[in-house]
Amino acid sequence: MAWELKSDRPIYTQLTEQIELMIFSGVYPLGSKLPSVRDMAQEAAVNPNTMQKALVKLEEDSLIITHRTSGRTITEDARIVEMAKTKLAQKQILAFLEKMQLMGFEQKEIISIINTMVEEMQK
Amino acid sequence: MAWELKSDRPIYTQLTEQIELMIFSGVYPLGSKLPSVRDMAQEAAVNPNTMQKALVKLEEDSLIITHRTSGRTITEDARIVEMAKTKLAQKQILAFLEKMQLMGFEQKEIISIINTMVEEMQK
DNA sequence: ATTATTGTATTAAGTGCTTAATACAATAAT
DNA sequence: ATTATTGTATTAAGCACTTAATACAATAAT
């Protein structure tokens, strides 16, 4: 895993987001076991407390389940993951479109730019 | 102006971004005068020091020009604004597409979702 | 000439984030 | 039975961000 941690906002927030993405994309499959807090912290070159803080949010969202002495696992419930994924996607798209509109781009313009960039990414 | 200031990242960063958007969209036209630091700070319900900090970044990017005792103005150079706008747009799009891909969406899927949402926004 | 306004700088205080160093209880592993 | 591993909690320190309260020099406005 390539952790991308910038200093322009809290690290634990970024960790939460990136772990969430790994759950959505199946890097951590349903029901699979997460590494220990200490191991994940070391992997991300971060203090255990910070990683702990990052994981709490995912528990609140029921994406992961904590077993006091045997670690954490990803939820077995596919619906929970799917719903969270859809919710995040819509949030992303909305935020993106709003920002582009604030910049002064027309809607048709936005779509055409995206089409162009997607084509470029496929190369 | 409706300032949207959240507590999940530095306020001065958010101010910089939002003022930049106002320049891009023409809320502050080329060559126009910005309100004083104190006035802008009050408008955004923020400390003058924080607004000051937000403006420094825009000066570094040559989007605004500071006149020591008569305030600040937007650059007269349309190219500077246009280039910054294009640069930000590409950055936004790239970040968006990357995140959607990390979530596991296919490229065709992304385009179709966007088309749907843009149509909805037009209503 | 006087006053008001401009950007800028400084200091002190409070807050949240991050790290480091520990420690504890529960339980899995041996 | 003993040891190792688990999540969790605490304390102290350093740091950046934010606010509040001032202050200053330059110059625009009167």
Side-chain angles (χ1 to χ4, degrees):
Chain A
M1 169 65 194
W3 297 95
E4 276 205 21
L5 302 175
K6 302 180 180 176
S7 60
D8 62 346
R9 59 205 184 96
I11 293 177
Y12 79 93
T13 303
Q14 301 178 56
L15 292 173
T16 299
E17 291 173 359
Q18 290 177 34
I19 297 169
E20 194 178 31
L21 286 182
M22 292 193 278
I23 296 175
F24 291 162
S25 64
V27 172
Y28 291 125
L30 292 178
S32 66
K33 194 171 182 312
L34 275 180
S36 74
V37 178
R38 291 171 177 81
D39 286 354
M40 291 188 75
Q42 190 172 22
E43 235 279 308
V46 142
N47 191 277
N49 297 330
T50 306
M51 182 58 75
Q52 163 81 13
K53 203 169 178 180
L55 293 171
V56 168
K57 173 64 163 40
L58 299 175
E59 293 177 39
E60 290 171 359
D61 293 346
S62 301
L63 286 173
I64 65 183
I65 295 165
T66 300
H67 312 96
R68 193 72 168 67
T69 58
S70 60
R72 293 180 164 92
T73 55
I74 310 297
T75 178
E76 309 256 5
D77 193 337
R79 290 171 307 169
I80 291 180
V81 175
E82 207 53 41
M83 282 180 57
K85 181 178 169 181
T86 303
K87 189 177 174 184
L88 176 58
Q90 291 187 337
K91 187 180 163 190
Q92 291 292 328
I93 296 170
L94 210 65
F96 169 70
L97 290 178
E98 276 176 357
K99 207 156 202 170
M100 291 294 283
Q101 283 191 319
L102 276 179
M103 287 178 65
F105 286 96
E106 301 285 338
Q107 288 166 333
K108 289 179 183 175
E109 219 174 332
I110 298 174
I111 294 178
S112 103
I113 293 175
I114 290 216
N115 276 309
T116 306
M117 291 200 70
V118 168
E119 281 174 16
E120 294 235 344
M121 288 182 76
Q122 285 174 331
K123 290 171 187 173
Chain B
M1 168 68 193
W3 297 95
E4 274 204 22
L5 302 176
K6 301 180 181 176
S7 60
D8 62 346
R9 60 205 183 96
I11 293 177
Y12 79 93
T13 303
Q14 302 177 56
L15 291 173
T16 300
E17 292 172 359
Q18 290 176 33
I19 297 169
E20 194 177 33
L21 285 183
M22 292 193 279
I23 297 174
F24 290 161
S25 64
V27 172
Y28 291 124
L30 291 179
S32 66
K33 195 171 180 313
L34 274 179
S36 74
V37 178
R38 290 170 179 82
D39 286 353
M40 291 188 75
Q42 191 172 20
E43 235 278 308
V46 143
N47 191 278
N49 296 330
T50 306
M51 181 58 76
Q52 164 82 10
K53 204 169 178 181
L55 293 170
V56 168
K57 173 65 163 40
L58 297 175
E59 293 177 40
E60 290 172 359
D61 293 345
S62 300
L63 285 173
I64 63 182
I65 295 164
T66 300
H67 313 95
R68 192 70 168 70
T69 58
S70 59
R72 293 180 164 91
T73 54
I74 309 297
T75 179
E76 309 255 6
D77 191 337
R79 290 171 305 168
I80 290 180
V81 175
E82 207 53 41
M83 281 181 56
K85 181 177 169 182
T86 301
K87 188 177 175 184
L88 176 57
Q90 291 186 338
K91 186 180 163 191
Q92 290 292 329
I93 295 171
L94 210 65
F96 169 70
L97 290 178
E98 276 176 358
K99 207 156 202 170
M100 291 294 282
Q101 284 191 318
L102 276 180
M103 289 179 62
F105 286 95
E106 300 286 338
Q107 289 167 332
K108 291 178 183 174
E109 219 175 333
I110 298 174
I111 295 178
S112 103
I113 293 175
I114 290 217
N115 276 310
T116 305
M117 292 200 71
V118 167
E119 281 174 16
E120 295 235 346
M121 288 182 76
Q122 286 174 331
K123 291 171 185 173

